[in-house]
Amino acid sequence: MNEAKKLWAEKYGEVENTLAGIKNVKSVVTAFNTNIDAVIKISGKKLASLAKKENLDWESLNDISDYAIHTPQDVVKGAFRCFSKGIAEEWLIDDINAYNWLMENIGYDRLQMGGQGGIVANALSVCGVQKVINHCGSLPQKQADLFLKRENLFSFDMNGNMTPAYQINRSNDIPLIHWIIEFDKDDEFDFDGYRIVCPKANRFIATYDPVNSQLIIDKNFISYMDNAKAEAVVLSGYHALTAEKNGVSLVEKTVPIIEKWRKNGAIVHLEVASTQDETVRKAIVDKIASKVDSLGLNERETIEVLQVIGEKSLADICEAEVSAVNLFEAVSKIKQKTACRRIQMHMFGLYLTIQDSNFKITPEKTRAGMCLAAMIAAAKAGTGHINDENNLLWAKGKNASDVGLKELQSLSHYLKSRQLLDEGICDYEGYKVIAVPTILVEKPKTLVGMGDTISSVSLVGSL
Ligand code: GLC
């Protein structure tokens, strides 16, 4: 194990060069979802008092019908569900009264950039991509304020001019606010004679977003993209769609757009994101996953994809034991069924990519991108943000985690490849497998947006 740790320290020693290489990337586009995250830490005590105020009892608190927010009671139910299980979920608010209730009764500690598109745009801009172009469905001043004040980060103003995003104010647009309600591990919830202890720090997202939930796309962005020469597009934003509100046809409508971007030479990466609506999730997998060059998912999203591709029993196996070996089987299955050229999964301690042998990015470059992503994710977890380029290599000198090395070891036994443990690369049934044990930070200061950062830095760092 110590030997493997040393070999990985050498690979992590190369991240400075990989980061410097990003300055040669001319342009990356991020779309579609950008929003405002209103972040608040809530205690079990406060949650219990809100449950009481909203006249819930133990039974009604646990009576969940459709994982959506129609009333303030639903906010409390969703937050309690995530608190009690230590899980992350996002529910959509369909009534402005529930939104107003959140504002009055919960409020927020801070506003920060939200949505895969916005988070990735800020991250890649700090990493030094020459030009990052972000799609915003809505860009009032409040949203613009959350873009980093950097001259390499653009969006479109109301006249369609490409302008540094932080300078734009589309004053007729409405702010799209998503509540990120965070809670701490071991916090207690005492209510109606029951006591629940939160098993894992996590968050509940309550989203009010009439623009992204209808996938409203800025036409200025689309016409710019008609002739744009982007090296990569990082795509997301389907997860807020619902079948009831036309979600499937909204997914389908983007297929020709994606095809055009690919034809213009971009590598298109889809960040899958957790999609509650199973019909929409299936449409994303069936219609988009097979069209893009690359997919990014975490372990939860991997399981969710298995559920809609007829692999329920494999999903149950992964659910029962979230291990590198089980998730390897899951990712290979998704690769077979979608024929997507590159799939990257990130889990606690390990990143795993399976790509075609003749994929346009070599396995060595993929590995370098993944090491850089792990380094930058550790900086984000350790310091709470990556807004400053001097912060990016904060974790330099830290070793690959024991958790990650153990997972890698069991995967390399399973695949009978010592090379996978030492080099992080091996062949498997005609594909290339690349696995990287990550650097872990004891008490992460933030988790939201971590997956988006990992996937996008991995890809762009490997270009
Ligand atoms: C989802 C949420 C958004 C959050 C993001 C983080 O897109 O809607 O609010 O910032 O996930 O990954």
Side-chain angles (χ1 to χ4, degrees):
M1 200 71 145
N2 274 342
E3 201 186 316
K5 200 170 256 183
K6 242 202 234 143
L7 288 169
W8 281 98
E10 276 168 28
K11 286 171 203 72
Y12 273 114
E14 290 161 18
V15 291
E16 220 150 354
N17 279 339
T18 311
L19 178 61
I22 292 189
K23 299 212 161 53
N24 300 324
V25 177
K26 292 200 179 65
S27 119
V28 178
V29 171
T30 65
F32 290 105
N33 58 329
T34 300
N35 65 266
I36 298 170
D37 279 349
V39 186
I40 175 114
K41 173 72 67 69
I42 200 172
S43 64
K45 204 164 162 200
K46 166 94 181 176
L47 197 55
S49 81
L50 288 169
K52 205 158 174 197
K53 189 164 167 220
E54 291 309 311
N55 297 321
L56 288 160
D57 56 20
W58 179 253
E59 203 177 313
S60 51
L61 182 64
N62 287 289
D63 177 20
I64 293 168
S65 51
D66 61 355
Y67 303 93
I69 298 173
H70 316 289
T71 64
Q73 285 192 340
D74 294 330
V75 176
V76 181
K77 289 183 189 182
F80 171 67
R81 178 179 148 82
C82 291
F83 179 100
S84 63
K85 294 175 180 276
I87 56 173
E89 281 186 0
E90 178 172 359
W91 294 11
L92 300 178
I93 302 173
D94 70 359
D95 181 4
I96 185 89
N97 290 319
Y99 168 87
N100 292 334
W101 180 88
L102 271 156
M103 211 44 126
E104 280 157 30
N105 291 273
I106 297 199
Y108 52 83
D109 297 330
R110 62 179 193 279
L111 295 179
Q112 66 185 35
M113 177 60 86
Q116 277 71 15
I119 292 169
V120 168
N122 273 351
L124 294 181
S125 146
V126 178
C127 287
V129 171
Q130 290 173 21
K131 199 173 186 182
V132 178
I133 300 145
N134 169 256
H135 170 263
C136 278
S138 168
L139 186 42
Q141 181 79 52
K142 226 179 179 155
Q143 180 73 64
D145 288 345
L146 301 175
F147 281 101
L148 298 176
K149 295 193 173 36
R150 299 182 62 97
E151 308 303 321
N152 62 344
L153 171 47
F154 298 87
S155 194
F156 297 88
D157 69 13
M158 52 187 141
N159 302 315
N161 298 316
M162 196 164 85
T163 309
Y166 74 94
Q167 293 175 9
I168 298 174
N169 178 9
R170 294 180 351 208
S171 52
N172 295 330
D173 289 0
I174 54 160
L176 308 172
I177 302 196
H178 299 194
W179 256 269
I180 313 287
I181 302 173
E182 301 179 321
F183 29 80
D184 284 332
K185 180 175 186 297
D186 296 333
D187 193 9
E188 288 174 7
F189 175 89
D190 272 313
F191 180 70
D192 214 12
Y194 291 84
R195 164 169 292 195
I196 298 292
V197 179
C198 173
K200 183 169 181 267
N202 225 321
R203 61 182 190 271
F204 171 63
I205 306 186
T207 289
Y208 180 71
D209 194 333
V211 173
N212 286 313
S213 63
Q214 277 301 299
L215 202 65
I216 294 173
I217 304 176
D218 177 17
K219 57 183 187 325
N220 295 319
F221 169 84
I222 292 292
S223 54
Y224 167 83
M225 287 297 287
D226 268 352
N227 303 304
K229 288 259 165 287
E231 271 138 279
V233 177
V234 180
L235 187 66
S236 195
Y238 298 104
H239 60 284
L241 305 179
T242 58
E244 194 188 291
K245 293 201 174 131
N246 217 14
V248 173
S249 70
L250 290 169
V251 169
E252 283 167 350
K253 255 184 152 155
T254 64
V255 172
I257 303 179
I258 294 170
E259 277 170 347
K260 182 154 218 182
W261 295 347
R262 291 198 63 240
K263 222 157 107 209
N264 288 351
I267 292 185
V268 180
H269 170 90
L270 172 72
E271 193 56 22
V272 172
S274 181
T275 310
Q276 298 297 324
D277 188 303
E278 284 201 16
T279 314
V280 171
R281 196 191 307 155
K282 185 155 174 36
I284 298 170
V285 176
D286 291 348
K287 316 274 170 181
I288 311 285
S290 54
K291 292 284 178 319
V292 293
D293 302 277
S294 168
L295 284 184
L297 357 86
N298 64 19
E299 70 277 15
R300 185 76 243 140
E301 292 149 13
T302 305
I303 293 169
E304 288 172 358
V305 169
L306 291 175
Q307 287 162 349
V308 295
I309 58 169
E311 293 294 337
K312 188 103 192 17
S313 54
L314 185 52
D316 292 343
I317 292 172
C318 294
E319 187 106 61
E321 196 198 349
V322 181
S323 67
V325 169
N326 288 344
L327 283 156
F328 172 81
E329 283 299 336
V331 175
S332 340
K333 191 54 92 187
I334 297 172
K335 177 128 185 37
Q336 268 169 32
K337 292 220 169 165
T338 59
C340 182
R341 285 160 281 270
R342 171 190 187 271
I343 303 188
Q344 184 173 99
M345 186 277 311
H346 49 271
M347 60 182 275
F348 189 64
L350 194 83
Y351 305 159
L352 169 74
T353 305
I354 305 183
Q355 64 183 42
D356 286 353
S357 288
N358 62 354
F359 190 67
K360 41 189 145 181
I361 299 170
T362 63
E364 289 74 17
K365 287 205 136 206
T366 295
R367 183 186 61 199
M370 289 161 76
C371 287
L372 178 64
M375 185 64 71
I376 290 180
K380 190 172 162 98
T383 68
H385 71 88
I386 45 164
N387 293 347
D388 178 350
E389 53 211 48
N390 297 318
N391 220 13
L392 294 175
L393 299 181
W394 172 86
K396 191 118 207 277
K398 289 193 192 296
N399 274 322
S401 60
D402 289 339
V403 177
L405 283 165
K406 245 189 223 141
E407 290 290 354
L408 182 59
Q409 197 169 36
S410 60
L411 185 59
S412 76
H413 277 155
Y414 183 69
L415 297 179
K416 300 192 180 56
S417 165
R418 169 77 204 198
Q419 195 202 351
L420 186 67
L421 179 63
D422 292 344
E423 294 303 319
I425 297 175
C426 75
D427 288 299
Y428 174 78
E429 293 190 353
Y431 300 133
K432 294 285 179 195
V433 176
I434 304 111
V436 166
T438 72
I439 297 165
L440 288 177
V441 169
E442 251 321 295
K443 285 201 173 114
K445 292 212 168 114
T446 178
L447 287 174
V448 68
M450 201 58 91
D452 316 333
T453 307
I454 294 165
S455 292
S456 59
V457 173
S458 281
L459 179 70
V460 174
S462 70
L463 289 177

